[in-house]
Amino acid sequence: MLTLPDKEVFSTGEMAAICHMTKHTIVTAIERGELKASQTPGGHNRIQRADAISFLRKCNIPVAGLQKRVLVVDDEEVVRTLLIQILQDEGFQTIHAATGYEAGKMVERFHPDLIVLDILLPDIDGRAVCRHIREESYARDCRVLALTVLKGEEDIRQIYEAGINDYLAKPFTIEAIMQKIHSLLGVPV
């Protein structure tokens, strides 16, 4: 397991050393859009810390000190509070939002590994939130677990069409949601 240096920006050479790859491989990943980078006026690539972490995770390179990140989106405070407490007790890093708008902002900043997403939010339907998130390159690999009171066949079909990976009907048990979360993240129970 590697340790990411305490820096906010990395050069391609530094990123290559961190990943145990060649500089050419890092440049190719940037050119293919697999690794986000900006260019200096001199034409050199610079990689932000969040983008470096996203790339390391995509490559399944474990980084010491990085917990799985979960964004909990639900307009019911009691549900958010309960899920956050349980997830933190399980060792996950958490953040929360009460609306679809807040969720979009949080995804951009937090780069979660999983979003636990209520479908019936007060401002934006959870399916629309998921479709928007899937358009962003930094969030395409993020897993999404929908929480919903909707149980109709057509509703469930629309949930999956929106890009949601799995769903759980409300009300749910702690055991059921933790099993789904662990399964989606590939973490042993």
Side-chain angles (χ1 to χ4, degrees):
M1 185 172 300
L2 66 88
T3 302
L4 195 61
D6 190 23
K7 294 179 64 171
E8 288 303 312
V9 179
F10 302 96
S11 69
T12 51
E14 290 170 328
M15 193 67 195
I18 291 166
C19 297
H20 302 289
M21 297 177 179
T22 66
K23 189 175 173 182
H24 176 75
T25 301
I26 297 299
V27 171
T28 301
I30 292 168
E31 290 169 351
R32 290 182 178 171
E34 297 167 2
L35 174 59
K36 186 178 173 187
S38 57
Q39 281 201 334
T40 65
H44 301 283
N45 290 307
R46 294 295 178 257
I47 301 131
Q48 296 293 320
R49 182 178 187 82
D51 298 318
I53 291 169
S54 290
F55 180 72
L56 292 166
R57 286 189 163 143
K58 275 188 221 172
C59 295
N60 292 317
I61 299 172
V63 180
L66 291 183
Q67 302 164 300
K68 295 282 187 184
R69 294 163 301 181
V70 180
L71 169 61
V72 177
V73 185
D74 201 302
D75 59 321
E76 295 180 55
E77 186 175 356
V78 67
V79 173
R80 281 194 320 270
T81 303
L82 175 67
L83 289 176
I84 288 165
Q85 184 61 54
I86 292 164
L87 289 164
Q88 288 176 347
D89 288 348
E90 291 267 334
F92 294 102
Q93 184 181 359
T94 63
I95 195 165
H96 62 88
T99 67
Y101 175 74
E102 288 176 1
K105 290 182 356 186
M106 297 293 182
V107 167
E108 187 175 342
R109 284 188 294 208
F110 189 61
H111 296 262
D113 298 297
L114 172 71
I115 302 169
V116 178
L117 177 65
D118 184 14
I119 295 299
L120 300 177
L121 294 168
D123 61 340
I124 304 170
D125 184 275
R127 292 167 286 211
V129 172
C130 188
R131 282 191 290 274
H132 173 72
I133 288 167
R134 293 292 187 217
E135 292 173 0
E136 302 299 333
S137 62
Y138 55 79
R140 286 193 187 122
D141 297 330
C142 179
R143 312 298 287 167
V144 181
L145 173 62
L147 300 180
T148 184
V149 294
L150 302 174
K151 295 179 180 144
E153 211 172 284
E154 179 64 15
D155 293 318
I156 303 308
R157 184 186 61 73
Q158 289 176 1
I159 285 171
Y160 285 116
E161 283 179 357
I164 292 169
N165 302 99
D166 204 349
Y167 82 97
L168 188 60
K170 287 182 175 181
F172 54 83
T173 66
I174 300 305
E175 293 78 22
I177 195 166
M178 291 313 296
Q179 183 177 17
K180 295 258 187 191
I181 288 170
H182 283 267
S183 174
L184 286 167
L185 291 174
V187 176
V189 179

